[in-house]
Each structure stands twice: as structure tokens, then as C-alpha cells.
Amino acid sequence: MDLSVTPELQAELSSWCKEELIDEKHAILLVGVLVEVDVAQIENVAQKVKVWGRVRVRATKEGVSPEMLNVLCECRETIKPESVPPVLLPEEGGEPWKVLIVAEGDTSSDEFAEKLAVFLANEGKSMLELQALFAPPGPDAGSPESIIRAVGDLLDKTGRQTTDSSAYRRLRTFSGSLPTPSGEETMENWMDQARMMITECECSEKEKRRRIVESLKGPALDIVKAVRLSCPDANAQQYIEALESTFGTSESGEDLYFAFRLLRQHSGEALSDFLRR
């Protein structure tokens, strides 16, 4: 089994960290883990590398075959490249697990691989499915007809992607801090943009959640993290509702002031009850 590190895996790890809200400097990817290995065993093996500190499994995906998994783990300590072994040996024996971290540096090939991984994630596809697309499907694989069909499919997908991208502009940053910091959107403006994105963009629910998360920081990001922790299946609309219930106000300060000035004790109402009201 070939477990060599590829730019595609590097890009997939980087994209995966963003989806799961994990700091890349604390993330490792284990490649080639058998599906029957449970989470506790994986964490026990990973924690044998003492410099990583406590290790927790955060997510899994199908690997090079249905029997294999790619496992995303988060480490308590910052990952240093020199402390990363090339493989980990499972307790029950068998094939070693390849260890991968987000590589430092920025090359043109890495940029292309990252963009490709993001594109595939948006389309709900994997690298394996992409490889299958280029595998010869039959004896007429190299014929002019098959090439024309492949180019037509590619143009069709590219056209849909371009249409969606032109209809969507990146959400401005929102933190929920008051007064609104320079360069950030107010609550009302950000909500209008986010609702429009959810309604009009023809992208997956996963992509909508990602777009919301990437625009948040500070207290607002903490709220979404809490929602995700309590309800992993929460959709983009639930993210917005949680933010609105936390930071939204139905009345301005001026409205509240006048409402207070107009308060009057009701007939028969005790003074203590009036003061509490």
C-alpha cells in the first residue's frame, strides 16, 4: 500500500482543519487506519508521542479504500515538524499509519492542490473519485467522442461553479463586539448578507456553514463553536439564529429609555412589584 505524502493530502488536511475549526499547528492526519480500530485505540497510539500532549480524534473520512480511514486528530501541544515520526505502529499490529502534518511554506503546486481540494469539497467529491474520473473506463477512453464528452462535463461543472461564485461575495467580518470595530460589519448588515447567501447560493449546506464560520471571529465565533459542539448537525440557518438571539436587539437604547420614562404603577399594584417590573 502506497502511503506517500502528496500535495493533495496536504491540501485536504489544511481544508479539513478549517472545516473542523482546528488550528493547523495542532493537527495531525493519520492515513491508513483500519475501520475496525476504535477511537480509544487511535488516541492511545498517538499519545505515545509525548511531545504532542493529549491527542483527541476529531473526525474521520474514507481513505484509499473502504477498509481504510483517514483520521484527523488534534493535539494539545503545538506540532513541531522535527518531532513527527513518519509512521505510527498500531497496537494490534498490521500496516503502519502514515503521519501527516500541514507543511510550512507556500509553493505554486501546493496552492493548486489546495484550490483543487476546496473545489472537490464544494462539489461533495473526493480525490479517489477524481482519480476514477481519469481512469480509462473502457476501450474507447482515448477516442475523440470520449474526450469531447469529458470536456463538456468539465465545462458544465465549471459554468455552474462560476455562476455560484459570481452570485456570492465573501461575507464581511463580524465579531459581535460593541462598538463595531473598524473593518467589521454591524449586526444588521452582516445578518442581511448571511441570509442572502443562504437563500440564493446554490452550494451545499456544508459550504454555507463554512462561509459563515470563516467570516466570524471573537465572541461571534465562540457562539457558533458552542452551537456546533452541542449540535454537530446544526445547519447554517441555526448558526444565524443563535447569533441573532445572542447579539440582536429588538429595541434601541433610545427606545428603552423612553419606555422606562413612561412606566407607571398599575392600579392595585404593590410598590415592590412595580419596582421589580
Side-chain angles (χ1 to χ4, degrees), residues 199-243:
T199 303
E200 297 187 358
C201 283
E202 297 178 359
C203 58
S204 65
E205 181 62 36
K206 182 178 181 180
E207 173 64 11
K208 291 177 182 178
R209 294 197 301 265
R210 185 188 69 79
R211 290 176 177 181
I212 289 175
V213 169
E214 74 178 3
S215 71
L216 301 176
K217 69 177 186 178
L221 181 58
D222 291 338
I223 292 298
V224 169
K225 285 183 177 180
V227 172
R228 186 168 186 168
L229 182 63
S230 61
C231 182
D233 297 326
N235 57 31
Q237 182 61 39
Q238 289 173 296
Y239 285 3
I240 289 181
E241 290 173 355
L243 291 169

Side-chain angles (χ1 to χ4, degrees), residues 14-130:
S14 179
S15 177
W16 202 359
C17 287
K18 294 175 183 176
E19 294 172 11
E20 298 297 329
L21 307 180
I22 295 176
D23 187 342
E24 293 180 353
K25 296 179 181 179
H26 292 262
I28 60 172
L29 178 65
L30 303 180
V31 181
V33 180
L34 293 175
V35 293
E36 58 263 25
V37 180
D38 61 36
V39 170
Q41 289 177 304
I42 297 172
E43 293 175 347
N44 287 338
V45 172
Q47 286 174 167
K48 290 180 181 179
V49 183
K50 301 299 183 183
V51 293
W52 290 349
R54 190 174 185 179
V55 180
R56 287 290 176 262
V57 172
R58 295 306 183 198
T60 62
K61 290 182 180 178
E62 182 177 316
V64 294
S65 69
E67 295 78 24
M68 297 290 184
L69 292 176
N70 291 345
V71 181
L72 177 65
C73 300
E74 183 178 19
C75 305
R76 180 185 295 274
E77 304 299 330
T78 301
I79 302 297
K80 298 180 180 178
E82 62 271 16
S83 70
V84 179
V87 295
L88 293 179
L89 299 177
E91 294 177 339
E92 303 299 328
E95 293 287 343
W97 307 336
K98 187 70 178 180
V99 182
L100 180 66
I101 63 172
V102 176
E104 297 180 353
D106 188 22
T107 65
S108 58
S109 61
D110 290 340
E111 289 177 358
F112 172 77
E114 182 174 358
K115 291 178 181 178
L116 179 59
V118 172
F119 172 78
L120 291 175
N122 293 343
E123 293 292 326
K125 303 296 182 182
S126 67
M127 286 294 177
L128 291 176
E129 291 172 308
L130 179 63

